[in-house]
Coordinates of all heavy atoms in Angstrom, one line a residue:
I989 N -32.6 23.5 -69.3 CA -32.3 22.1 -68.9 C -30.8 22.0 -68.7 O -30.3 21.4 -67.8 CB -32.8 21.2 -70.0 CG1 -34.4 21.2 -69.9 CG2 -32.3 19.7 -69.8 CD1 -35.1 20.4 -71.1
A990 N -30.0 22.6 -69.7 CA -28.5 22.5 -69.6 C -28.0 23.1 -68.4 O -27.1 22.6 -67.7 CB -27.9 23.3 -70.8
F991 N -28.7 24.3 -67.9 CA -28.3 25.0 -66.7 C -28.4 24.0 -65.5 O -27.5 23.8 -64.7 CB -29.2 26.2 -66.5 CG -29.1 26.9 -65.2 CD1 -28.0 27.7 -64.9 CD2 -30.0 26.7 -64.2 CE1 -27.9 28.4 -63.7 CE2 -29.8 27.3 -63.0 CZ -28.8 28.2 -62.7
F992 N -29.7 23.4 -65.4 CA -29.9 22.5 -64.2 C -29.0 21.3 -64.3 O -28.5 20.8 -63.2 CB -31.4 22.2 -64.1 CG -32.1 23.3 -63.4 CD1 -32.9 24.1 -64.1 CD2 -32.0 23.4 -62.0 CE1 -33.7 25.1 -63.4 CE2 -32.7 24.5 -61.4 CZ -33.6 25.3 -62.1
A993 N -28.8 20.7 -65.5 CA -28.1 19.5 -65.6 C -26.6 19.8 -65.2 O -26.0 18.9 -64.5 CB -28.2 18.9 -67.1
L994 N -26.0 20.8 -65.7 CA -24.6 21.2 -65.4 C -24.5 21.5 -63.8 O -23.5 21.1 -63.2 CB -24.2 22.4 -66.1 CG -23.9 22.1 -67.6 CD1 -23.5 23.3 -68.4 CD2 -22.9 21.0 -67.8
A995 N -25.5 22.2 -63.3 CA -25.5 22.5 -61.8 C -25.5 21.2 -61.0 O -24.7 20.9 -60.1 CB -26.6 23.3 -61.4
L996 N -26.3 20.2 -61.4 CA -26.3 18.8 -60.8 C -24.9 18.2 -60.9 O -24.4 17.7 -59.9 CB -27.3 17.9 -61.5 CG -28.8 18.1 -61.2 CD1 -29.6 17.2 -62.0 CD2 -29.1 17.8 -59.6
L997 N -24.3 18.4 -62.0 CA -23.0 17.7 -62.3 C -22.0 18.4 -61.4 O -21.0 17.7 -60.9 CB -22.6 17.9 -63.8 CG -21.4 17.2 -64.3 CD1 -21.5 15.7 -64.1 CD2 -21.1 17.5 -65.7
I998 N -22.0 19.7 -61.2 CA -21.1 20.4 -60.3 C -21.1 19.8 -58.9 O -20.1 19.5 -58.3 CB -21.3 21.9 -60.3 CG1 -21.0 22.5 -61.6 CG2 -20.4 22.5 -59.2 CD1 -21.4 24.0 -61.7
G999 N -22.3 19.6 -58.4 CA -22.4 19.0 -57.1 C -21.8 17.6 -57.0 O -21.0 17.3 -56.0
V1000 N -22.0 16.9 -58.0 CA -21.4 15.5 -58.1 C -19.9 15.6 -58.1 O -19.2 15.0 -57.3 CB -22.0 14.7 -59.3 CG1 -21.3 13.4 -59.4 CG2 -23.5 14.5 -59.1
L1001 N -19.4 16.4 -59.0 CA -17.9 16.5 -59.3 C -17.2 17.1 -58.0 O -16.2 16.6 -57.7 CB -17.6 17.4 -60.5 CG -18.0 16.8 -61.8 CD1 -17.9 17.9 -62.9 CD2 -17.0 15.7 -62.1
M1002 N -17.9 18.0 -57.3 CA -17.3 18.6 -56.2 C -17.1 17.6 -55.0 O -16.3 17.7 -54.2 CB -18.2 19.8 -55.6 CG -17.7 21.1 -56.0 SD -18.9 22.4 -55.5 CE -18.7 22.4 -53.8
T1003 N -18.1 16.6 -55.0 CA -18.1 15.7 -53.8 C -17.4 14.4 -54.0 O -16.9 13.8 -53.1 CB -19.6 15.5 -53.4 OG1 -20.3 16.7 -53.6 CG2 -19.7 15.1 -52.0
I1004 N -17.4 13.9 -55.3 CA -16.8 12.5 -55.5 C -15.3 12.5 -55.2 O -14.9 11.4 -54.8 CB -17.1 12.0 -56.9 CG1 -16.6 13.0 -58.0 CG2 -18.5 11.6 -57.1 CD1 -16.6 12.4 -59.4
G1005 N -14.7 13.6 -55.2 CA -13.2 13.6 -55.0 C -12.9 13.8 -53.5 O -11.7 13.8 -53.1
I1006 N -13.9 13.9 -52.6 CA -13.6 14.2 -51.2 C -13.8 12.9 -50.4 O -14.7 12.2 -50.6 CB -14.6 15.3 -50.6 CG1 -14.3 16.6 -51.5 CG2 -14.3 15.6 -49.2 CD1 -15.3 17.7 -51.2
G1007 N -12.8 12.7 -49.5 CA -12.8 11.4 -48.7 C -13.8 11.5 -47.5 O -14.3 12.5 -47.2
G1008 N -14.2 10.3 -47.1 CA -15.2 10.2 -46.0 C -14.8 11.0 -44.8 O -15.8 11.5 -44.1
A1009 N -13.6 11.2 -44.4 CA -13.2 11.9 -43.2 C -13.6 13.4 -43.3 O -13.8 13.9 -42.2 CB -11.6 11.8 -43.0
D1010 N -13.6 13.9 -44.4 CA -14.0 15.3 -44.6 C -15.5 15.5 -44.9 O -16.0 16.6 -45.0 CB -13.2 15.9 -45.7 CG -11.8 16.2 -45.3 OD1 -11.6 16.3 -44.1 OD2 -10.9 16.2 -46.2
M1011 N -16.3 14.4 -45.0 CA -17.6 14.5 -45.4 C -18.5 15.4 -44.4 O -19.3 16.2 -44.9 CB -18.2 13.1 -45.5 CG -19.1 12.9 -46.7 SD -18.8 14.0 -48.1 CE -17.6 13.0 -49.0
P1012 N -18.3 15.3 -43.1 CA -19.1 16.1 -42.2 C -18.9 17.6 -42.5 O -19.9 18.4 -42.4 CB -18.7 15.7 -40.8 CG -18.2 14.4 -41.0 CD -17.5 14.3 -42.3
V1013 N -17.7 18.0 -42.8 CA -17.4 19.4 -43.1 C -18.2 19.8 -44.4 O -18.8 20.9 -44.5 CB -15.9 19.7 -43.2 CG1 -15.7 21.2 -43.4 CG2 -15.2 19.1 -42.1
V1014 N -18.1 18.9 -45.3 CA -18.8 19.1 -46.6 C -20.3 19.2 -46.5 O -20.9 20.1 -47.1 CB -18.4 18.0 -47.7 CG1 -19.1 18.2 -48.9 CG2 -16.9 18.0 -47.9
I1015 N -20.8 18.4 -45.6 CA -22.3 18.4 -45.3 C -22.7 19.7 -44.8 O -23.7 20.3 -45.1 CB -22.7 17.2 -44.4 CG1 -22.6 15.9 -45.2 CG2 -24.2 17.4 -44.0 CD1 -22.7 14.7 -44.4
S1016 N -21.8 20.1 -43.8 CA -22.1 21.5 -43.2 C -22.1 22.6 -44.2 O -22.9 23.5 -44.2 CB -21.1 21.7 -42.0 OG -21.2 22.9 -41.5
L1017 N -21.1 22.5 -45.1 CA -21.0 23.5 -46.2 C -22.3 23.5 -47.1 O -22.9 24.5 -47.3 CB -19.7 23.2 -47.1 CG -19.6 24.2 -48.3 CD1 -19.2 25.6 -47.8 CD2 -18.5 23.6 -49.2
Y1018 N -22.7 22.3 -47.4 CA -23.9 22.2 -48.3 C -25.2 22.7 -47.5 O -26.1 23.2 -48.0 CB -24.2 20.8 -48.7 CG -23.2 20.4 -49.9 CD1 -22.6 19.1 -49.9 CD2 -22.9 21.3 -50.8 CE1 -21.8 18.7 -50.9 CE2 -22.1 20.9 -51.8 CZ -21.5 19.6 -51.9 OH -20.6 19.3 -52.9
N1019 N -25.1 22.5 -46.2 CA -26.2 23.0 -45.3 C -26.2 24.5 -45.4 O -27.3 25.2 -45.5 CB -25.9 22.5 -43.9 CG -27.0 22.9 -42.9 OD1 -28.1 22.9 -43.3 ND2 -26.7 23.1 -41.7
A1020 N -25.0 25.1 -45.3 CA -25.0 26.6 -45.5 C -25.5 27.0 -46.8 O -26.2 28.0 -47.0 CB -23.6 27.1 -45.3
L1021 N -25.1 26.3 -47.9 CA -25.6 26.6 -49.2 C -27.1 26.5 -49.4 O -27.8 27.4 -50.0 CB -24.9 25.7 -50.3 CG -23.4 25.9 -50.4 CD1 -22.8 25.1 -51.5 CD2 -23.1 27.4 -50.8
T1022 N -27.6 25.4 -48.8 CA -29.0 25.2 -48.8 C -29.8 26.4 -48.2 O -30.8 26.9 -48.8 CB -29.5 23.9 -48.1 OG1 -29.0 22.8 -48.9 CG2 -31.0 23.8 -48.0
G1023 N -29.3 26.8 -47.1 CA -29.9 28.0 -46.4 C -29.9 29.2 -47.3 O -30.9 29.9 -47.4
L1024 N -28.7 29.4 -48.0 CA -28.6 30.6 -48.9 C -29.6 30.5 -50.0 O -30.3 31.5 -50.4 CB -27.2 30.6 -49.4 CG -26.6 31.9 -49.9 CD1 -26.6 32.9 -48.7 CD2 -25.2 31.7 -50.5
A1025 N -29.7 29.3 -50.6 CA -30.7 29.1 -51.7 C -32.1 29.3 -51.2 O -32.9 30.0 -52.0 CB -30.5 27.7 -52.2
V1026 N -32.5 28.8 -50.0 CA -33.8 29.0 -49.5 C -34.1 30.5 -49.3 O -35.1 31.0 -49.6 CB -34.0 28.2 -48.2 CG1 -35.3 28.6 -47.5 CG2 -34.0 26.7 -48.5
G1027 N -33.0 31.2 -48.8 CA -33.2 32.6 -48.4 C -33.4 33.4 -49.8 O -34.3 34.2 -49.9
F1028 N -32.7 33.0 -50.9 CA -32.9 33.7 -52.1 C -34.3 33.4 -52.7 O -35.0 34.4 -53.2 CB -31.8 33.2 -53.2 CG -30.4 33.7 -52.9 CD1 -29.3 33.2 -53.6 CD2 -30.2 34.8 -52.0 CE1 -28.0 33.7 -53.3 CE2 -28.9 35.2 -51.7 CZ -27.8 34.7 -52.4
E1029 N -34.7 32.2 -52.7 CA -36.0 31.9 -53.2 C -37.1 32.5 -52.4 O -38.2 32.8 -52.9 CB -36.2 30.4 -53.4 CG -35.2 29.7 -54.3 CD -35.0 30.4 -55.6 OE1 -36.0 30.9 -56.2 OE2 -33.9 30.5 -56.1
G1030 N -36.8 32.6 -51.1 CA -37.8 33.3 -50.2 C -38.0 34.8 -50.7 O -39.1 35.3 -50.7
F1031 N -36.9 35.4 -51.1 CA -37.0 36.8 -51.7 C -37.9 36.7 -53.0 O -38.8 37.6 -53.1 CB -35.6 37.3 -52.0 CG -35.6 38.7 -52.4 CD1 -35.6 39.8 -51.6 CD2 -35.7 39.0 -53.8 CE1 -35.7 41.1 -52.1 CE2 -35.8 40.3 -54.3 CZ -35.8 41.4 -53.4
V1032 N -37.6 35.8 -53.8 CA -38.4 35.7 -55.1 C -39.8 35.5 -54.8 O -40.7 36.1 -55.4 CB -37.8 34.5 -55.9 CG1 -38.6 34.3 -57.2 CG2 -36.3 34.7 -56.3
L1033 N -40.2 34.7 -53.8 CA -41.6 34.5 -53.5 C -42.1 35.5 -52.5 O -43.3 35.4 -52.2 CB -41.8 33.1 -52.9 CG -41.5 31.8 -53.7 CD1 -41.8 30.6 -52.9 CD2 -42.2 31.8 -54.9
Q1034 N -41.3 36.4 -52.1 CA -41.6 37.4 -51.1 C -42.2 36.7 -49.8 O -43.3 37.1 -49.3 CB -42.6 38.4 -51.6 CG -42.0 39.3 -52.6 CD -41.0 40.3 -52.0 OE1 -41.3 41.2 -51.2 NE2 -39.7 40.1 -52.2
N1035 N -41.5 35.6 -49.4 CA -42.0 34.9 -48.2 C -41.0 35.1 -47.1 O -39.9 34.6 -47.1 CB -42.1 33.4 -48.7 CG -42.5 32.5 -47.5 OD1 -42.2 32.7 -46.4 ND2 -43.4 31.5 -47.9
P1036 N -41.5 35.9 -46.1 CA -40.5 36.3 -45.0 C -40.0 35.1 -44.2 O -38.8 35.1 -43.8 CB -41.3 37.3 -44.2 CG -42.7 37.1 -44.5 CD -42.8 36.5 -45.9
A1037 N -40.9 34.1 -44.0 CA -40.4 32.9 -43.2 C -39.2 32.2 -43.9 O -38.2 31.8 -43.3 CB -41.5 32.0 -42.9
M1038 N -39.4 32.1 -45.2 CA -38.3 31.4 -46.0 C -37.0 32.3 -46.0 O -35.9 31.7 -45.8 CB -38.7 31.2 -47.4 CG -39.4 29.9 -47.7 SD -40.0 29.8 -49.4 CE -38.4 29.3 -50.2
M1039 N -37.2 33.6 -46.1 CA -36.0 34.4 -46.1 C -35.3 34.3 -44.8 O -34.0 34.1 -44.7 CB -36.5 35.9 -46.3 CG -36.7 36.3 -47.8 SD -36.9 38.1 -47.9 CE -38.6 38.2 -48.0
I1040 N -36.1 34.5 -43.7 CA -35.4 34.4 -42.4 C -34.8 33.1 -42.0 O -33.6 33.0 -41.6 CB -36.4 34.9 -41.3 CG1 -36.8 36.4 -41.5 CG2 -35.8 34.7 -39.9 CD1 -37.9 36.8 -40.6
A1041 N -35.6 32.0 -42.3 CA -35.0 30.6 -42.0 C -33.8 30.4 -42.9 O -32.8 29.8 -42.4 CB -36.1 29.6 -42.4
G1042 N -33.8 30.8 -44.2 CA -32.7 30.6 -45.0 C -31.5 31.3 -44.6 O -30.4 30.7 -44.5
I1043 N -31.6 32.6 -44.1 CA -30.5 33.4 -43.6 C -29.9 32.8 -42.4 O -28.7 32.6 -42.2 CB -30.9 34.8 -43.4 CG1 -31.2 35.5 -44.7 CG2 -29.8 35.6 -42.7 CD1 -32.0 36.8 -44.6
V1044 N -30.9 32.3 -41.5 CA -30.4 31.7 -40.2 C -29.6 30.4 -40.5 O -28.5 30.2 -39.9 CB -31.7 31.5 -39.3 CG1 -31.3 30.6 -38.1 CG2 -32.2 32.8 -38.8
V1045 N -30.2 29.6 -41.3 CA -29.6 28.3 -41.6 C -28.2 28.5 -42.4 O -27.2 27.9 -42.1 CB -30.5 27.4 -42.5 CG1 -29.7 26.2 -43.0 CG2 -31.7 27.0 -41.6
G1046 N -28.3 29.5 -43.3 CA -27.1 29.8 -44.1 C -25.9 30.3 -43.2 O -24.8 29.8 -43.3
S1047 N -26.2 31.2 -42.2 CA -25.1 31.7 -41.4 C -24.7 30.7 -40.4 O -23.5 30.5 -40.1 CB -25.5 33.0 -40.7 OG -26.8 33.1 -40.4
A1048 N -25.6 29.9 -39.8 CA -25.3 28.9 -38.8 C -24.4 27.8 -39.5 O -23.4 27.4 -39.0 CB -26.6 28.2 -38.2
G1049 N -24.8 27.4 -40.7 CA -24.0 26.4 -41.5 C -22.6 26.9 -41.8 O -21.6 26.2 -41.7
T1050 N -22.5 28.2 -42.1 CA -21.2 28.8 -42.4 C -20.3 28.8 -41.2 O -19.1 28.4 -41.2 CB -21.3 30.2 -42.9 OG1 -22.3 30.3 -44.0 CG2 -20.0 30.8 -43.4
L1051 N -20.9 29.2 -40.0 CA -20.1 29.2 -38.8 C -19.7 27.8 -38.4 O -18.5 27.6 -38.0 CB -21.0 29.8 -37.6 CG -21.1 31.3 -37.7 CD1 -22.1 31.8 -36.6 CD2 -19.8 32.0 -37.6
L1052 N -20.6 26.8 -38.5 CA -20.3 25.5 -38.2 C -19.1 24.9 -39.1 O -18.3 24.2 -38.7 CB -21.5 24.6 -38.3 CG -21.4 23.2 -37.8 CD1 -21.1 23.2 -36.3 CD2 -22.8 22.4 -38.0
T1053 N -19.2 25.2 -40.4 CA -18.2 24.7 -41.3 C -16.8 25.3 -40.9 O -15.8 24.6 -40.9 CB -18.6 25.3 -42.8 OG1 -19.9 24.9 -43.0 CG2 -17.6 24.6 -43.8
Q1054 N -16.8 26.6 -40.6 CA -15.6 27.2 -40.2 C -15.0 26.6 -38.9 O -13.8 26.3 -38.8 CB -15.8 28.7 -39.8 CG -15.8 29.5 -41.1 CD -16.0 31.0 -40.7 OE1 -16.5 31.3 -39.7 NE2 -15.7 31.9 -41.7
L1055 N -16.0 26.3 -37.9 CA -15.5 25.8 -36.7 C -15.0 24.4 -36.8 O -13.9 24.0 -36.3 CB -16.8 25.7 -35.8 CG -16.7 25.3 -34.3 CD1 -17.7 26.0 -33.5 CD2 -16.9 23.8 -34.1
M1056 N -15.5 23.5 -37.7 CA -15.1 22.2 -38.0 C -13.7 22.2 -38.6 O -12.8 21.5 -38.3 CB -16.1 21.4 -38.7 CG -17.3 21.0 -38.0 SD -18.6 20.5 -39.1 CE -18.4 18.8 -39.2
A1057 N -13.6 23.1 -39.6 CA -12.4 23.2 -40.4 C -11.2 23.5 -39.4 O -10.1 23.0 -39.4 CB -12.5 24.1 -41.6
K1058 N -11.6 24.5 -38.5 CA -10.5 25.0 -37.6 C -10.2 23.9 -36.6 O -9.0 23.8 -36.3 CB -11.1 26.2 -36.8 CG -10.1 27.0 -36.1 CD -10.7 28.3 -35.6 CE -9.9 28.7 -34.4 NZ -10.7 29.1 -33.2
A1059 N -11.2 23.2 -36.1 CA -10.8 22.1 -35.1 C -10.0 21.0 -35.8 O -9.3 20.2 -35.1 CB -12.2 21.5 -34.6
M1060 N -10.0 20.9 -37.2 CA -9.3 19.9 -37.8 C -8.0 20.5 -38.4 O -7.2 19.9 -39.1 CB -10.0 19.3 -39.0 CG -11.2 18.5 -38.5 SD -12.4 18.2 -39.9 CE -11.6 16.8 -40.6
N1061 N -7.8 21.9 -38.1 CA -6.6 22.6 -38.6 C -6.5 22.6 -40.1 O -5.4 22.3 -40.7 CB -5.4 22.1 -38.0 CG -4.2 23.1 -38.2 OD1 -4.5 24.3 -38.0 ND2 -3.0 22.6 -38.4
R1062 N -7.6 22.7 -40.8 CA -7.6 22.6 -42.3 C -8.3 23.9 -42.8 O -9.3 24.4 -42.1 CB -8.5 21.4 -42.7 CG -8.3 20.2 -42.0 CD -7.2 19.2 -42.6 NE -7.4 19.1 -44.0 CZ -8.3 18.2 -44.5 NH1 -9.1 17.5 -43.8 NH2 -8.3 18.1 -45.9
S1063 N -8.0 24.3 -43.9 CA -8.7 25.3 -44.6 C -9.9 24.7 -45.4 O -9.7 23.5 -45.7 CB -7.8 26.2 -45.5 OG -7.5 25.4 -46.6
L1064 N -10.9 25.5 -45.7 CA -12.0 24.9 -46.4 C -11.5 24.5 -47.8 O -11.9 23.5 -48.3 CB -13.1 26.0 -46.6 CG -14.4 25.5 -47.1 CD1 -15.0 24.3 -46.2 CD2 -15.5 26.6 -47.1
A1065 N -10.6 25.3 -48.4 CA -10.1 24.9 -49.7 C -9.3 23.6 -49.6 O -9.5 22.7 -50.5 CB -9.0 26.0 -50.2
N1066 N -8.6 23.4 -48.6 CA -7.9 22.1 -48.4 C -8.9 21.0 -48.2 O -8.7 19.8 -48.8 CB -7.0 22.2 -47.1 CG -6.2 21.0 -46.8 OD1 -6.6 20.1 -46.2 ND2 -5.0 21.0 -47.4
V1067 N -10.0 21.1 -47.5 CA -11.0 20.1 -47.4 C -11.6 19.8 -48.8 O -11.7 18.6 -49.2 CB -12.2 20.6 -46.5 CG1 -13.3 19.7 -46.6 CG2 -11.7 20.7 -45.1
L1068 N -11.9 20.8 -49.6 CA -12.5 20.6 -50.9 C -11.6 20.1 -52.0 O -12.1 19.4 -52.9 CB -13.2 22.0 -51.4 CG -14.4 22.5 -50.5 CD1 -14.8 23.8 -51.1 CD2 -15.6 21.5 -50.6
F1069 N -10.4 20.5 -51.9 CA -9.5 20.2 -53.0 C -8.4 19.2 -52.7 O -7.6 18.9 -53.6 CB -8.9 21.5 -53.7 CG -10.0 22.4 -54.0 CD1 -10.0 23.7 -53.5 CD2 -11.0 22.1 -54.9 CE1 -10.9 24.6 -53.8 CE2 -12.0 23.0 -55.2 CZ -12.0 24.3 -54.7
S1070 N -8.3 18.7 -51.5 CA -7.2 17.7 -51.3 C -7.9 16.4 -50.6 O -8.9 16.6 -50.0 CB -6.1 18.2 -50.4 OG -6.5 17.9 -49.1
S1071 N -7.3 15.3 -50.9 CA -8.1 14.1 -50.4 C -7.5 13.5 -49.1 O -6.7 12.6 -49.1 CB -8.1 13.0 -51.5 OG -6.9 13.1 -52.2
F1072 N -7.8 14.2 -48.0 CA -7.4 13.8 -46.7 C -7.9 12.4 -46.3 O -9.1 12.1 -46.5 CB -7.9 14.8 -45.7 CG -7.5 14.7 -44.3 CD1 -6.2 15.0 -43.9 CD2 -8.4 14.3 -43.3 CE1 -5.8 14.9 -42.6 CE2 -8.0 14.2 -42.0 CZ -6.8 14.5 -41.6
G1073 N -7.0 11.6 -45.8 CA -7.4 10.3 -45.2 C -7.8 9.3 -46.3 O -8.5 8.3 -46.1

Side-chain angles (χ1 to χ4, degrees):
I989 293 170
F991 171 81
F992 277 103
L994 289 179
L996 280 173
L997 188 62
I998 291 174
V1000 172
L1001 287 170
M1002 259 175 73
T1003 324
I1004 53 171
I1006 301 173
D1010 285 334
M1011 223 27 91
V1013 186
V1014 176
I1015 291 170
S1016 176
L1017 176 71
Y1018 285 141
N1019 186 30
L1021 292 182
T1022 292
L1024 206 60
V1026 169
F1028 286 171
E1029 298 314 321
F1031 182 88
V1032 176
L1033 296 184
Q1034 287 295 290
N1035 182 318
M1038 269 177 81
M1039 277 190 261
I1040 295 173
I1043 292 164
V1044 168
V1045 171
S1047 35
T1050 308
L1051 287 174
L1052 189 60
T1053 311
Q1054 276 178 346
L1055 188 145
M1056 287 162 89
K1058 196 170 152 231
M1060 295 162 82
N1061 196 38
R1062 320 265 312 278
S1063 69
L1064 192 57
N1066 184 269
V1067 169
L1068 293 176
F1069 307 124
S1070 87
S1071 32
F1072 182 71

